[in-house]
C-alpha cells in the first residue's frame, strides 16, 4: 500500500479518533513514524536526593508504642530467676512484653541502692496503642499481676514509675535489610548527609549508638563543598 504525498498510513490498532503524532518543522506540521512517538525514560539518572526520598518512603516501617513500668522492691529479689530478664512471646496472649532485672543488668544501680531491687516491665506491641492510654496505676497493676504469674509472688513495690514512648519502636518487616541497603546507597551519593537511629540496623541502645558513631565518623571524614571559615 502506497501513500499519496502528505497522507499518513494508519498505525495497526490505532483508534480511529486518535490524532497522529506530529512535530513542527519549517514547512509546517510534519508527521512522524510511530516509533519516534513512543514514550522513553529520561537519559539522565534520578538525582541522589530524589533516590533518597524514594528509598525512605519505600522503607517506612510501622512503629509500635511502648510503655515501661519501673518497679522497686526492698531487699534482695530472691523470687527472681537468674539473669537479666526475660521476653514474653506475643502468642502467649499477655500484656507484658518483657521484664528487665535492672539491678542485675546494671551493677552501678545495685551498688547505689543495695537495699532496693529495681526491675522494668515493658508493655505494648504493634497495634496496641490504645493500651498505653490507660492510667498509670492500671499499667502498674497489670505488670505486677503478670510478673507474679511469671516468677511467683513478689510482694508490693515500694515505688513505681510509668513512662511511655509513642511510636518509639520500629517494626522491621520482610525485606528490611534490602531496603536499608538502598537507603545507604542513596545517602552515599549525598556528601555531608548521614543517617542513624533505630530505623536502620537495630532498635537497641547499643545498635543506635553504633549507627550514630558511624554517621559522625562519616561526616567528619567527608570534605564539604563549603569549608568553615578560618578560626571556626
Amino acid at each position: 500500500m502506497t501513500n499519496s504525498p502528505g497522507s499518513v498510513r494508519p498505525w495497526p490498532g490505532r483508534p480511529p479518533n486518535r490524532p497522529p503524532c506530529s512535530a513542527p518543522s519549517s514547512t509546517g506540521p510534519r508527521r512522524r513514524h510511530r516509533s519516534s512517538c513512543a514514550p522513553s525514560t529520561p537519559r539522565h539518572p534520578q538525582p541522589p536526593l530524589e533516590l533518597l526520598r524514594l528509598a525512605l518512603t519505600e522503607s517506612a516501617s510501622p512503629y509500635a508504642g511502648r510503655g515501661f513500668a519501673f518497679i522497686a522492691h526492698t531487699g534482695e529479689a530472691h523470687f527472681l530467676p537468674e539473669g537479666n530478664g526475660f521476653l514474653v512471646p506475643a502468642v502467649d496472649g499477655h500484656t507484658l512484653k518483657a521484664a528487665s532485672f535492672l539491678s542485675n543488668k546494671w551493677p552501678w544501680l545495685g551498688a547505689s541502692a543495695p537495699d532496693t531491687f529495681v526491675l522494668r516491665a515493658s508493655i505494648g506491641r504493634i497495634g496496641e496503642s490504645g493500651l498505653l492510654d490507660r492510667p498509670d496505676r492500671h499499667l502498674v497493676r497489670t505488670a505486677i499481676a503478670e510478673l507474679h504469674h511469671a516468677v511467683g509472688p513478689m510482694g508490693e513495690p515500694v515505688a513505681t514509675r510509668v513512662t511511655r514512648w509513642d511510636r518509639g519502636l520500629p517494626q522491621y518487616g520482610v525485606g528490611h535489610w534490602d531496603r536499608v541497603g538502598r537507603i545507604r546507597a542513596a545517602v552515599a551519593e549525598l556528601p555531608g548527609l548521614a543517617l542513624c537511629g533505630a530505623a536502620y540496623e537495630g532498635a537497641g541502645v547499643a545498635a543506635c549508638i553504633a549507627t550514630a558513631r558511624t554517621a559522625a565518623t562519616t561526616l567528619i571524614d567527608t570534605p564539604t563543598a563549603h569549608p568553615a571559615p578560618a578560626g571556626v
Side-chain angles (χ1 to χ4, degrees), residues 98-184:
S100 298
F101 309 152
L102 299 185
S103 293
N104 288 347
K105 187 175 182 178
W106 297 329
W108 62 265
L109 181 59
S112 64
D115 296 330
T116 303
F117 190 90
V118 181
L119 58 86
R120 179 184 63 198
S122 301
I123 297 172
R125 304 179 189 274
I126 188 70
E128 296 181 349
S129 57
L131 177 66
L132 302 184
D133 294 333
R134 299 177 183 178
D136 287 4
R137 64 181 182 277
H138 179 94
L139 297 181
V140 169
R141 297 315 306 178
T142 299
I144 292 175
E146 297 203 355
L147 285 168
H148 284 181
H149 179 76
V151 303
M154 298 171 51
E156 289 299 311
V158 295
T160 62
R161 175 175 292 181
V162 173
T163 61
R164 294 171 176 81
W165 292 356
D166 182 30
R167 298 183 68 251
L169 189 64
Q171 306 294 293
Y172 300 154
V174 176
H176 173 74
W177 298 116
D178 292 337
R179 290 190 289 270
V180 170
R182 289 192 290 272
I183 293 173
R184 294 297 187 195

